[in-house]
Amino acid sequence: MSPTRSQAQRDAVTVEIAFAVVTGALAGGLAFLLCAAPVLWGVVPVSWRGSWLMAAAVLGGAVCAVRVVRVLWRWRQPSRPGRTGPDS
């Protein structure tokens, strides 16, 4: 940590990272469940189930990563009115 940052700034960074990770996990889990639903309902043929679940897991992970990056990138932008970044 930089000695020039105040405790409030460090706390704000920590809260924003936690928010990004939690909402990313929720979004990724929802994407996985939506893609895996046909497997759970028995609509997908047995021979495709493994591949289908793997694709759902990859999509869920990608959605999670995109959400985390998007939240942290938007928070870092100082030009958004109403948002507090690490430098305010």
Side-chain angles (χ1 to χ4, degrees), residues 53-73:
L53 288 175
M54 181 61 71
V58 168
L59 179 68
V63 167
C64 178
V66 166
R67 174 67 182 164
V68 169
V69 168
R70 185 170 178 241
V71 167
L72 294 178
W73 187 267

Side-chain angles (χ1 to χ4, degrees), residues 31-52:
F32 172 78
L33 285 176
L34 287 174
C35 289
V39 173
L40 299 173
W41 291 332
V43 177
V44 176
V46 175
S47 61
W48 289 10
R49 287 186 181 168
S51 299
W52 197 283

Side-chain angles (χ1 to χ4, degrees), residues 16-27:
E16 198 64 28
I17 290 170
F19 173 77
V21 170
V22 168
T23 60
L26 290 173

